[in-house]
């Protein structure tokens, strides 16, 4: 039984009828451009074949009834006329916040019966929350016959996280979940939300390796990094680091705090690398891809200081196997989480064997390895 059949059967069992619609939205991995999004810079995400599925039917009232299949079939019910934060079932706040944001533009939507299931690995930084939001928005758009675009859905998802859930995230996750393209990566300009695409070479695989390092410092250190970037931009008399040119940063190098200089240097150089990465992918220039990903990791390690010894070990293991034939770097917020590698498909067994043999021996940790492909953004499934 595939996931679609499992979801529809669960829906029928819970609500006594087949769903009107089944929607899917993917998770993502970011190939290049970390800690650039909140600095209005560039990111290079790809939608992956892990995501969130929602089965739903329109109600004739304003009630929303949601069952989370993956969380012991927990069930919540609320009215669209009385959306409040749920302290008991934290996952339901993504539903509540997303629909609250949707109603800012479409206040008269009807409620729905919903079952939800996902296979995005939790805690791996592959954006299960954004895929949940985008799948939900697609379902309500279809059920209520709304004219919500992919860009508008991404903005609604971000609003839900920022204003309701309480996560001060950028818009990258929602944009790629809504607007990803099969076999392509997206270059997103976080300043004007314009996008470009590059083709992922057919013989190159996306490999995500979870270090399984407990990420205890992410929230506090993330906020510190944001403040440091804002302080560096302010020192250069600019609103964001996106507006600072490398030569302008060099002018103030002797006067600005060294730690602020390093933080800014990472962001400026990462923006440049991200744009170069798009070009390298289009040319299938694996030597350049390898070097750009290596430089990105070193910048995140030395200038932004968000890697860990375990993450560095993983990158070294993979890089030793790949050489100039592929690239590897940490991805996400840092302080644990995942590395992402672009590797020739023929070399995957060698990479995986090296990781499984060496990483536990060097760190005492067991990695989780996911082979992914680039897929389309959110879509409606056939029932």
């Amino acid at each position: 039984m595939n996931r679609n059949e499992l979801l529809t059967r669960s829906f029928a069992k819970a609500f006594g009828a087949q769903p009107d619609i089944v929607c899917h939205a993917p998770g993502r991995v970011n190939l290049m451009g970390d800690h650039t999004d909140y600095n209005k810079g560039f990111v290079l995400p790809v939608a992956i074949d892990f995501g969130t599925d929602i089965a739903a039917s329109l109600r004739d009232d304003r009630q929303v009834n949601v069952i989370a299949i993956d969380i012991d079939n927990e069930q919540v019910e609320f009215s669209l006329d009385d959306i409040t934060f749920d302290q008991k079932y934290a996952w339901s706040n993504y539903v509540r916040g997303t629909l609250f944001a949707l109603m800012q533009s479409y206040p008269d939507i009807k409620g729905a019966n919903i079952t939800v299931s996902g296979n995005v690995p939790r805690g791996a930084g592959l954006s299960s929350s954004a895929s949940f939001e985008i799948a939900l928005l697609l379902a309500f758009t279809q059920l209520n016959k709304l004219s919500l675009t992919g860009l508008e859905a991404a903005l609604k998802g971000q609003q839900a996280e920022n204003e309701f859930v309480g996560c001060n995230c950028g818009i990258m996750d929602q944009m790629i979940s809504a607007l990803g393209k099969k076999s392509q990566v997206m270059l997103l300009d976080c300043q004007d939300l314009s996008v470009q695409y590059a083709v992922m070479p057919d013989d190159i695989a996306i490999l995500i390796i979870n270090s399984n390092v407990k990420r205890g410092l992410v929230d506090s250190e993330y906020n510190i990094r944001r403040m440091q970037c804002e302080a560096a931009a302010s020192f250069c008399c600019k609103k964001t680091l996106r507006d600072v040119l490398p030569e302008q940063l060099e002018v103030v190098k002797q006067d600005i705090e060294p730690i602020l200089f390093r933080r800014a240097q990472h962001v400026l150089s990462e923006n440049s690398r991200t744009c170069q990465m798009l070009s390298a992918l289009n040319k299938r220039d694996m030597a350049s891809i390898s070097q750009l990903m290596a430089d990105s990791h070193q910048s995140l390690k030395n200038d932004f200081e968000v890697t860990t010894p375990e993450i560095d070990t993983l990158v070294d293991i993979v890089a030793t196997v790949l050489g100039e034939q592929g690239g590897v770097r940490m991805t996400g917020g840092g302080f644990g989480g995942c590395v992402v590698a672009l590797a020739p498909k023929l070399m995957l067994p060698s990479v995986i064997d090296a990781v499984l043999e060496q990483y536990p021996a060097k760190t005492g940790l067991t990695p989780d390895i996911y082979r992914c492909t680039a897929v389309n953004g959110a879509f409606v499934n056939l029932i």
Side-chain angles (χ1 to χ4, degrees):
M1 186 187 305
N2 63 33
R3 286 170 47 77
N4 205 24
E5 291 171 337
L6 178 63
L7 192 67
T8 53
R9 285 195 183 187
S10 297
F11 185 96
K13 182 179 179 180
F15 299 111
Q18 290 294 307
D20 294 336
I21 194 171
V22 176
C23 296
H24 174 86
R28 66 94 188 96
V29 66
N30 191 25
L31 300 184
M32 184 75 73
D34 280 317
H35 293 278
T36 51
D37 57 345
Y38 54 82
N39 289 294
K40 302 299 181 183
F42 295 95
V43 290
L44 194 73
V46 58
I48 58 174
D49 47 339
F50 292 86
T52 303
D53 295 284
I54 284 178
S57 286
L58 192 69
R59 296 174 62 106
D60 59 7
D61 58 18
R62 299 271 286 175
Q63 290 298 114
V64 176
N65 195 338
V66 191
I67 298 173
I69 294 173
D70 306 324
I71 313 178
D72 297 325
N73 289 302
E74 286 184 356
Q75 185 168 351
V76 297
E77 188 171 358
F78 62 92
S79 169
L80 291 171
D81 297 314
D82 183 26
I83 297 181
T84 57
F85 194 87
D86 191 337
Q87 298 287 351
K88 184 176 181 181
Y89 300 110
W91 62 267
S92 78
N93 290 313
Y94 291 97
V95 183
R96 297 166 188 268
T98 298
L99 297 181
F100 185 84
L102 182 62
M103 286 194 298
Q104 308 307 302
S105 301
Y106 301 96
D108 299 323
I109 59 173
K110 296 287 189 180
N113 293 326
I114 301 165
T115 55
V116 58
S117 177
N119 66 348
V120 180
R122 295 181 190 175
L126 302 181
S127 196
S128 58
S129 60
S131 70
F132 189 5
E133 295 149 11
I134 296 301
L136 189 69
L137 286 163
L138 178 58
F140 270 78
T141 294
Q142 295 289 321
L143 291 174
N144 288 276
K145 296 180 170 57
L146 310 178
S147 59
L148 196 72
T149 67
L151 172 58
E152 290 167 341
L155 289 166
K156 294 293 184 186
Q158 183 192 25
Q159 181 185 351
E161 297 241 21
N162 291 172
E163 299 178 9
F164 197 92
V165 177
C167 175
N168 194 23
C169 66
I171 198 171
M172 171 181 67
D173 297 354
Q174 290 82 6
M175 282 288 286
I176 189 63
S177 186
L179 298 172
K181 290 187 178 182
K182 184 179 179 180
S183 302
Q184 298 189 46
V185 301
M186 172 195 285
L187 179 72
L188 169 64
D189 184 336
C190 295
Q191 187 167 62
D192 63 12
L193 302 187
S194 61
V195 299
Q196 300 178 56
Y197 294 91
V199 175
M200 177 64 65
D202 288 340
D203 59 341
I204 298 299
I206 303 167
L207 201 65
I208 301 169
I209 308 169
N210 190 348
S211 68
N212 284 318
V213 172
K214 188 177 179 180
R215 303 170 73 204
L217 295 173
V218 173
D219 291 339
S220 60
E221 292 293 339
Y222 178 87
N223 290 332
I224 291 170
R225 295 304 184 280
R226 284 194 71 141
M227 289 187 290
Q228 289 169 336
C229 289
E230 290 166 1
S234 178
F235 195 91
C236 296
C237 301
K238 300 293 183 181
K239 187 174 181 179
T240 69
L241 285 175
R242 171 62 180 275
D243 301 319
V244 178
L245 298 174
E247 53 267 30
Q248 292 173 325
L249 182 63
E250 199 62 34
V251 166
V252 301
K253 182 175 182 179
Q254 301 305 317
D255 301 313
I256 194 172
E257 289 183 50
I259 193 169
L260 297 185
F261 177 83
R262 294 199 306 274
R263 302 297 189 251
Q265 183 167 256
H266 164 71
V267 173
L268 269 60
S269 63
E270 187 81 344
N271 278 330
S272 176
R273 281 188 292 270
T274 304
C275 294
Q276 291 177 61
M277 185 77 164
L278 185 83
S279 176
L281 281 166
N282 276 324
K283 296 175 182 176
R284 204 196 174 283
D285 182 352
M286 294 310 298
S288 292
I289 289 170
S290 177
Q291 190 62 57
L292 287 166
M293 294 182 79
D295 290 345
S296 173
H297 186 79
Q298 288 303 309
S299 181
L300 287 159
K301 176 183 177 181
N302 298 320
D303 284 340
F304 223 69
E305 298 179 284
V306 292
T307 72
T308 66
E310 298 86 353
I311 287 286
D312 295 336
T313 296
L314 262 181
V315 168
D316 288 344
I317 292 169
V318 176
T320 299
V321 177
L322 289 177
E324 290 190 348
Q325 298 181 69
V328 60
R329 60 185 285 278
M330 70 146 269
T331 184
F335 305 102
C338 295
V339 307
V340 61
L342 296 182
K345 292 178 180 177
L346 291 175
M347 297 186 70
L348 281 181
S350 298
V351 173
I352 292 171
D353 287 348
V355 169
L356 292 177
E357 178 183 347
Q358 298 177 39
Y359 183 68
K362 293 180 177 181
T363 67
L365 297 171
T366 301
D368 293 318
I369 302 175
Y370 309 98
R371 179 180 173 179
C372 304
T373 56
V375 300
N376 285 321
F379 58 88
V380 177
N381 266 314
L382 295 176
I383 298 177

